Amino acid sequence: MTVLPDGVRHFPACLSPEEQRALLDDIRGVVQRAPLFTPRMPRTGKPMSVRMTNCGSLGWVTDKDRGYRYQATHPVTGAAWPPIPDRLTELWREYSDHPHPPEACLVNFYDETAKMGLHQDRDEETFDAPVLSISLGDACLFRIGEIERKGRTVPLRLESGDVLVLGGASRLRHHGVDRIYPGTSMLLKKEGRINLTLRRVTKPTR
Ligand code: MD3
Ligand code: FE
């Protein structure tokens, strides 16, 4: 059995097939209003293999000239992001253990060849809140490293309906997606994986 680092909580098969289907319908609504775009690496402009969109008051984007950032509008349409569906806000309430609502939900779509290199989530203004990740569709090989880039990593297979909460001492650990396992879920019409990442971006005002 794999022991996960402090602050990493994995809830396997947390969402029933019906709940996964309902979430997927919510996300289809989001993608209709805010189409998937191809993010590009800062400076090089190299496209990432994952396609993305967002919902919430702020969304994570990246391009060649302006790099990683959060902004209130879609980089292609210029429209405000659609709201975070209630079902997702509810999951945040249940699992985050955090008193303030999420501001950003990044929707990552992986086709069968997509991956995401080892990185830290550090574009937020505050790291007080955890990051909550929900997996839908094909399984993936996920990897959690240390806060320093070098060092040991722990592999973790994430399946459709799994919830992962990353907080506390682990909030700034490196992590990445090594590969997708095509054909391991029937949830989506085609092969691929969707990950929903709920985050707090700004310091709460009172
Ligand atoms: C582990 N996405 O978009 S977040 C990302 O499967 C991203 O698409 C992952 O990493 C994906 O930035 C899921 C998982 C995550 C987030 C923060 C962490 C894992 C973490 C912080 C520490 C350790
Ligand atoms: Fe990340």
Side-chain angles (χ1 to χ4, degrees), residues 7-9 129-133 142 144 164-168 170-171 175:
V8 180
R9 289 181 296 154
V131 175
L132 191 153
S133 146
F142 190 76
I144 300 175
L164 191 64
V165 183
L166 307 306
S170 285
R171 177 63 180 75
H175 57 276

Side-chain angles (χ1 to χ4, degrees), residues 73-122:
T73 55
H74 191 287
V76 178
T77 69
W81 303 109
I84 299 179
D86 291 343
R87 223 181 297 280
L88 283 172
T89 309
E90 193 50 46
L91 286 171
W92 173 270
R93 235 196 311 279
E94 287 172 38
Y95 290 95
S96 72
D97 216 2
H98 187 78
H100 304 286
E103 295 175 290
C105 174
L106 175 63
V107 178
N108 288 332
F109 176 75
Y110 295 79
D111 68 19
E112 62 269 32
T113 64
K115 47 196 166 41
M116 189 179 286
L118 209 63
H119 67 277
Q120 290 173 297
D121 289 13
R122 50 183 303 168

Side-chain angles (χ1 to χ4, degrees), residues 3-126:
V3 177
L4 294 172
D6 271 2
V8 180
R9 289 181 296 154
H10 181 207
F11 301 91
C14 186
L15 307 172
S16 69
E18 293 71 29
E19 289 173 300
Q20 294 175 43
R21 176 74 46 205
L23 265 181
L24 183 61
D25 285 342
D26 287 346
I27 294 311
R28 289 198 171 117
V30 167
V31 172
Q32 276 186 4
R33 291 176 58 180
L36 292 169
F37 61 91
T38 298
R40 290 176 181 275
M41 299 298 283
R43 292 182 298 279
T44 62
K46 185 177 185 286
M48 293 175 66
S49 57
V50 177
R51 289 187 301 149
M52 314 184 153
T53 189
N54 291 270
C55 49
S57 54
L58 290 169
W60 189 86
V61 301
T62 174
D63 57 33
K64 183 177 192 289
D65 294 335
R66 296 173 65 199
Y68 303 153
R69 65 196 186 272
Y70 282 92
Q71 65 180 39
T73 55
H74 191 287
V76 178
T77 69
W81 303 109
I84 299 179
D86 291 343
R87 223 181 297 280
L88 283 172
T89 309
E90 193 50 46
L91 286 171
W92 173 270
R93 235 196 311 279
E94 287 172 38
Y95 290 95
S96 72
D97 216 2
H98 187 78
H100 304 286
E103 295 175 290
C105 174
L106 175 63
V107 178
N108 288 332
F109 176 75
Y110 295 79
D111 68 19
E112 62 269 32
T113 64
K115 47 196 166 41
M116 189 179 286
L118 209 63
H119 67 277
Q120 290 173 297
D121 289 13
R122 50 183 303 168
D123 302 316
E124 301 74 28
E125 207 177 282
T126 165

